[in-house]
Amino acid sequence: MAVSSGPSAVISSLLMMLLFAGMQMFKVQLASSELMTILGGFLGSLLFILSLTAMNNLENALFSKGFQAKIFPEVVMCLVGSCLASGLIHRVCITTWYSSIFCYHLLSSYINYESKLIFLQSNICVMIKPQHY
């Protein structure tokens, strides 16, 4: 179920802080093996998504409903912050962090493309001619 921008910003912020704290608490375990460093990079990419969601929803709640995150400063600030958080775990976590974000982008592009095709093939799109009185 969807929530409005204000509660979503709070929930995303809390999850982001919990994830960062968990990454710092389990820093030694995440840096112990190759698979765990990959997990650390994946957790860093989740941290990016949560931080960007929190920032954008906070801006929507404060400014207006149609406010959108820009590449600079919002996205860049979230990218740098989550990259630094991954780098605090292990250097290799940064490369897997970047790969995870790239995979998220490819997956969301594919899902967006497929949903457009499904929408265009369905009978939901109905053109209604305006009536002149």
Side-chain angles (χ1 to χ4, degrees):
M1 189 163 103
V3 295
S4 63
S5 295
S8 178
V10 172
I11 292 169
S12 297
S13 298
L14 289 174
L15 287 174
M16 179 184 64
M17 287 187 275
L18 284 172
L19 182 61
F20 179 73
M23 287 172 69
Q24 291 305 308
M25 284 187 347
F26 295 106
K27 177 192 283 191
V28 175
Q29 289 87 354
L30 287 173
S32 65
S33 68
E34 292 177 2
L35 288 176
M36 293 302 279
T37 55
I38 292 171
L39 177 66
F42 177 72
L43 291 175
S45 65
L46 288 178
L47 190 68
F48 165 70
I49 290 172
L50 288 172
S51 63
L52 187 61
T53 302
M55 183 177 289
N56 193 29
N57 284 332
L58 181 66
E59 288 173 343
N60 275 335
L62 293 177
F63 300 127
S64 68
K65 204 67 166 161
F67 195 84
Q68 293 181 353
K70 308 289 188 284
I71 295 292
F72 184 80
E74 290 98 351
V75 175
V76 172
M77 192 164 48
C78 292
L79 277 171
V80 168
S82 63
C83 182
L84 288 174
S86 294
L88 289 174
I89 306 300
H90 195 274
R91 293 179 300 189
V92 179
C93 289
I94 297 174
T95 58
T96 57
W97 163 84
Y98 182 74
S99 301
S100 298
I101 289 181
F102 183 69
C103 289
Y104 285 146
H105 174 69
L106 289 178
L107 182 65
S108 67
S109 298
Y110 176 74
I111 289 172
N112 192 14
Y113 175 75
E114 288 296 320
S115 64
K116 283 180 186 177
L117 286 178
I118 291 170
F119 180 74
L120 291 175
Q121 291 173 355
S122 67
N123 291 330
I124 296 173
C125 284
V126 177
M127 299 295 287
I128 300 174
K129 294 176 84 177
Q131 296 178 359
H132 300 288
Y133 297 141

